[in-house]
Structure formats: structure tokens, C-alpha cells
Amino acid sequence: MRKIVSRLNSSSPEYHRYAAHNRALVAEFRARQQAARHDRPARDLDRLARQGKMHPRARIEKLLDPGTPFLELSSLAANMAYDGESPSASCIVGIGVVSGREVIIRADDPTVKGGAWYPLTIKKIVRALDIAVENRMPMIHLCDSAGGNLTLQSDLFPDKHMAGRIFRNQSLLSKMGVKQLSLVFGHCTAGGAYIPALSDYSVIVQGTGAVFLGGPPLVKAATGEIVSTEDLGGARMHTSVSGTCDYPAATEDEAILIGREIVAQWEHPQKWAIQRETPEPPAYDPDELYGIIPDNIKTAFDMREVIARIVDGSRFHEYQPNYGTTLVCGFANIWGYKVGILGNNGVLFNDSSLKGAHFIELCNQNNTPLIFLQNITGYMIGQEYERRGITKDGAKMIMAQSCSHVPKFTVMVNGSFGAGNYGMCGRAFDARFLFAWPNHQIGVMGGDQAANTLMEVKANQMKRAGHVDQAELDTLWHTTRDAYQDQLSAYYSTSQIWDDGLIDPVDTRNALGISISAALNAPPGPQGYGVFRF
């Protein structure tokens, strides 16, 4: 493959303005991430110390193989919810290596309300289990939770993707033969008791670990029985009487050691074989990504410049370079793995939609994973394009993408608006992993467009009524735009777990490499498509 010829002028005022803007965004992201990971009230940290417990991140660090990476997912989940009282949605999720095996790790965070689950905590746990199911990855649960936040119970319990989905997914993993291990450091209460009970292996720490459907206060209130935590659900009882847990541990360090020994007994999965070459770094400096992405969401840039700073050797075999030029398609390698890349270079027209659909089919034919780099305002609208069949051609691209049997990965590098989000493998289309950059915006349309549309509709209503109130129209425009701007931001979307986390642009290559490796634990799905409307 040929090396991409970069036309970036790193000496230009524009480059330096963009770089300063994006570095400031990344600095804000890093500060928010640091706070979500580590800023806790002293009383909560003191309580952990009194109980002889480690911080959950220290537990993860001891569990992981030394010197191996940990790709944390959704580190800023719930950052704009619950008045900020549930940092990282009260749990930690990520991909790591334990005893030489790739695993998903999920850890309750007892420094936040005793590890109580909020609605977004459950959404994050369910997503972690979805990843384990989709990619057939073993999972390790680090359990230390007071149970569901009862003040929000109607958003925790009854619906399809609420708490019950956790245990349903755990059961599916076991059926698939995918291992699970629970390390019980604290309480597993109510529904949370099923996490170790549904795991294939469980270790419980004496003195602090406990598993019960109802704790001592609830047992007393419901039955009148007075019983201690240890007698009701402690390590000694569960490992010698009930058999609910397998191994007692005197300390958290011993529990982690036993856990690592258990994982060391697991077979190494046979990965799905795809084309792979010796990895090499990009020929162009990834730090230059900061100077490529504009400081205005509406300003265009060449997606090839982004690709050149992510792929091995900056080499890229572009498919149909002179056709459908608003969509860049081609083959490259990321950490040695062969991938097919689709990146937006403008609005999707008929020709670029057809090109995308055809390229997706070629990647499926060749068993090549797909990478979608989103910067999309949508499919082209207007009478001329509807007569050409833009809806029909966009549907072809959506059909090809939806029915792909190869793993898909999406990075939101800038805007993601309208149905373009769908064709380019937005959240609804089951990308194995979806990441976003801090500059990212997502919505059915931009704030200005939404405000203009609603103002136009309101103005027409006023005209029919015989009176146009310009002040009311101006208020409507500003109210709509302000509401959209808040919800368009990358922090809002990641707070809602519409992605698998914000990442620094320079970390994109590493995040994709770990994700691709994880995805290859599962075999490809069945081949086939629905009906293409010609």
C-alpha cells in the first residue's frame, strides 16, 4: 500500500489555532477524567481505610498483569447526571490482561454512596456484559456494592434493559462457555447477590465480604429475626455451609492472588484469524491530529489526514478515489490488523452512499473488520436528490452496514448528525466499540438548524393566525438553540453512555488496537443481507 501524502501545513496560523483549541479541549477532558476517577469526599476514603479496603482502582492495578495496558470504558459516564454525585456512574469498566488472558473487568466503586447502583450504573454494567457476550470475553467482577439506589427504584428494576438484564447476560455468558469470576470485597445485596452466584468462580474476603438477598436490617424488619452480617452471608458461612462462594480469602491481596490463579487455569481462546502484518507506527506524528480538526464544527477537513496519523506506516489503499469523493474508503492496517476504513469528507450524496455500500460488501467478502470515522452532517436533502433516490441509496448503505458479519468499530472524530449517524454505524448499529473525541457533537441536526426549523414552523402558524410576534420567535430560537447546544456536547453523550468513552485523539490508534484484538475472540456472524431496493 502507498503512503498517504500529507498536505498539512504545520506552520500555518490555522494549524496553530486549531491545535491550541483542541489541546485545550483535551486538557479539560483530562481534568474531568481525573476528577471522576479520584476526587472523593475525605469521609468516604476514611471509611474505606477503616474497613481495611483498597480503593477500587488499586484492586484493578493489582489484578492486572504488570506492564500491560488497561483500556477504561465510559470513564465520564453520568458526569452530567444526578447533580454529579455518581462519578463514572459509580463503577469502573475496562479491558485488561490478567494471567495472560484478555478480560473485561467491572468494579463497583464503594467510595460513591457505598457502591450503590444508579440507573446509569446499571446501564454501564449491562453494556460491559454486552461487550463480553458480543466478543466472547471472560469477565471479572470486583463486587462491593450496597445494592440499588432505592430512591430511584423505578428506573432500576422492571424494564428489559434494567437490572435483570445483568443477570440474564451473565447466564448467557455461562451458556456460551465464557468464564466469569467474582471477587467479593464488600457487600453483594439483593439483586447484586446474583452476580457471584451466577459466576463460574467466586472468592470472598473474610470480615468484609458478604452475599445476601436481604441484609440484617431487612431480615429483622421482614421476619423479626436478629442475625449478624457474618452469620447471614459472610465468607465462613458461604464457603463452608451454603456453597454460594468457592474460596475464602483472609485479605483483599489474597483474594486477588487467588483470582489470578483461577484465571491462569482458563484455556486461551482461539482467535478468529484475519490478515495481519508486523505492526509499525504511523509515518506522521499523531500529535498533529490536534492541528487537523477545526475549531468550528462546520468547517471541513480532509479525513485522509486523520487516517494518516492512525494507521500503520500511514499507508492506505484508497478504493474508488475519484468517485463519491465525500466518503473516503480504503484498506489499511492498525497494529498490524487489516481493516477497511470509511471516513466522511462531506455530506453523503447518492454516489458516496453507493460507494460506501459497495465497499462494506467487499470488506465482508474479504473478512476485513470495518472502521467508521464519523464527521457527518447527514445524507443530502432536496428535490433533485430525492428524485435521484437519495433515500433509497442511503438505505442501501444502511442495509449493507447493518447486516455486516465482520466486527465494526466507530470513532466520532467531529460531528454526527441526522441519518448519516446511521449509515456510518452509530450506536444503534452494534459497533463492537464506539469512541468519541472531546470535540464531538451529536444530534438529529445542529442547534442552529433545529432553531431555524422550529422558528419557521412557528412563523407559518402565526401568519395563518394573522399576527407575527417577532419577539416570541426570537425567544423560541434562542431557547431551542441553547437546549440543543447542551445536549449536542460530547460530555452529554458520554454521560448518557451513548459511546464507550471519550478518548484523546492521539490515543485512537491504541484504543482501536485493543478493541480489534478483543473482538477477534468471537467468530464472525452469519453472512447475508436483506433486500436492497434498486
Side-chain angles (χ1 to χ4, degrees):
M1 288 184 286
R2 301 176 190 175
K3 176 183 170 184
I4 294 174
V5 178
S6 175
R7 292 176 172 80
L8 183 68
N9 180 2
S10 59
S11 300
S12 70
E14 182 181 73
Y15 173 90
H16 288 291
R17 188 176 79 247
Y18 291 174
H21 173 77
N22 287 304
R23 288 183 189 278
L25 291 180
V26 169
E28 179 188 2
F29 159 59
R30 292 293 190 192
R32 290 192 186 211
Q33 191 178 58
Q34 176 74 8
R37 287 172 170 172
H38 300 290
D39 288 0
R40 300 290 185 273
R43 66 178 183 277
D44 292 322
L45 297 176
D46 291 343
R47 172 174 46 80
L48 223 63
R50 286 196 306 273
Q51 294 171 341
K53 292 182 176 179
M54 297 184 207
H55 190 281
R57 293 185 181 276
R59 293 168 177 165
I60 292 173
E61 187 175 349
K62 288 202 170 193
L63 180 65
L64 294 169
D65 289 357
T68 58
F70 180 65
L71 177 60
E72 185 174 353
L73 305 175
S74 297
S75 62
L76 292 179
N79 78 91
M80 294 180 67
Y82 319 122
D83 296 321
E85 67 180 32
S86 179
S88 291
S90 307
C91 67
I92 305 162
V93 169
I95 300 173
V97 179
V98 176
S99 297
R101 280 81 173 165
E102 285 177 322
V103 297
I104 293 280
I105 297 172
R106 183 206 65 81
D108 295 314
D109 188 346
T111 69
V112 183
K113 304 289 185 182
W117 291 352
Y118 288 72
L120 284 171
T121 312
I122 289 173
K123 186 175 182 180
K124 186 171 175 179
I125 296 171
V126 170
R127 173 59 186 150
L129 281 154
D130 282 343
I131 290 171
V133 170
E134 290 166 352
N135 300 288
R136 298 196 180 182
M137 290 191 71
M139 190 158 184
I140 301 177
H141 305 271
L142 308 187
C143 304
D144 193 349
S145 172
N149 186 328
L150 296 181
T151 62
L152 302 171
Q153 69 87 24
S154 64
D155 294 323
L156 298 173
F157 173 69
D159 209 352
K160 180 176 180 179
H161 291 285
M162 292 183 182
R165 195 75 171 184
I166 296 172
F167 316 122
R168 176 263 193 190
N169 280 2
Q170 281 192 271
S171 301
L172 283 185
L173 279 176
S174 187
K175 176 183 177 181
M176 295 164 60
V178 179
K179 283 81 169 174
Q180 290 180 83
L181 162 67
S182 282
L183 303 180
V184 181
F185 296 107
H187 287 191
C188 296
T189 307
Y194 290 113
I195 287 184
L198 286 167
S199 294
D200 306 296
Y201 306 83
S202 59
V203 182
I204 183 169
V205 178
Q206 295 172 353
T208 56
V211 178
F212 31 55
L213 295 181
L218 180 59
V219 169
K220 181 180 179 182
T223 70
E225 180 184 7
I226 298 175
V227 62
S228 70
T229 297
E230 192 63 30
D231 289 338
L232 181 65
R236 186 183 304 278
M237 192 281 291
H238 275 314
T239 58
S240 63
V241 178
S242 77
T244 300
C245 297
D246 302 319
Y247 304 85
T251 64
E252 293 197 359
D253 280 324
E254 185 182 13
I256 292 169
L257 177 61
I258 294 171
R260 287 183 51 81
E261 290 176 348
I262 291 169
V263 176
Q265 313 311 311
W266 296 350
E267 62 186 345
H268 286 278
Q270 293 296 313
K271 294 204 172 196
W272 177 40
I274 64 170
Q275 294 184 68
R276 193 174 185 195
E277 299 175 6
T278 302
E280 59 178 301
Y284 300 109
D285 188 350
D287 279 357
E288 293 176 339
L289 289 167
Y290 299 132
I292 293 169
I293 305 300
D295 53 4
N296 186 326
I297 198 76
K298 298 178 182 178
T299 302
F301 62 91
D302 188 350
M303 191 62 78
R304 296 175 189 84
E305 299 288 358
V306 173
I307 295 169
R309 288 152 183 87
I310 294 174
V311 303
D312 290 12
S314 301
R315 289 190 297 275
F316 184 59
H317 174 79
E318 186 167 354
Y319 174 71
Q320 289 191 329
N322 298 324
Y323 179 73
T325 55
T326 59
L327 183 66
V328 177
C329 300
F331 297 100
N333 291 77
I334 294 178
W335 280 102
Y337 297 112
K338 180 72 67 184
V339 296
I341 297 176
L342 296 90
N344 300 119
N345 252 14
V347 66
L348 287 165
F349 292 96
N350 299 74
D351 54 359
S352 45
S353 301
L354 293 171
K355 171 182 171 178
H358 192 174
F359 181 71
I360 290 169
E361 288 183 302
L362 294 177
C363 288
N364 276 268
Q365 179 195 59
N366 199 49
N367 288 326
T368 302
L370 288 160
I371 308 286
F372 294 86
L373 303 178
Q374 282 208 20
N375 178 36
I376 182 62
T377 56
Y379 291 93
M380 191 61 191
I381 62 174
Q383 181 179 354
E384 176 187 352
Y385 299 99
E386 291 295 352
R387 290 175 66 87
R388 292 185 190 176
I390 185 61
T391 303
K392 185 171 63 173
D393 292 339
K396 292 186 182 76
M397 183 175 174
I398 291 172
M399 176 70 76
Q401 185 265 107
S402 300
C403 297
S404 291
H405 76 275
V406 297
K408 300 177 291 187
F409 308 86
T410 303
V411 183
M412 305 294 201
V413 304
N414 206 37
S416 178
F417 298 103
N421 170 277
Y422 301 160
M424 291 293 293
C425 197
R427 190 62 151 177
F429 293 85
D430 294 330
R432 297 293 184 91
F433 296 90
L434 187 153
F435 301 105
W437 290 357
N439 56 293
H440 165 56
Q441 291 185 15
I442 184 170
V444 68
M445 60 182 70
D448 288 351
Q449 292 93 328
N452 290 337
T453 300
L454 290 180
M455 190 173 72
E456 181 72 19
V457 172
K458 186 66 175 179
N460 289 336
Q461 291 173 347
M462 289 179 172
K463 288 175 184 177
R464 288 194 294 271
H467 175 69
V468 176
D469 186 335
Q470 190 59 47
E472 183 180 347
L473 290 176
D474 290 343
T475 299
L476 174 64
W477 191 94
H478 287 290
T479 301
T480 302
R481 185 184 184 279
D482 290 346
Y484 258 74
Q485 288 305 114
D486 286 342
Q487 295 184 8
L488 288 172
S489 79
Y491 291 108
Y492 186 86
S493 61
T494 205
S495 179
Q496 296 296 313
I497 317 181
W498 295 347
D499 52 50
D500 292 315
L502 299 188
I503 57 174
D504 186 331
V506 301
D507 292 333
T508 303
R509 171 181 164 80
N510 289 340
L512 286 173
I514 292 172
S515 301
I516 295 167
S517 178
L520 298 181
N521 286 298
Q527 296 192 42
Y529 296 98
V531 175
F532 287 94
R533 184 177 294 276
F534 290 102

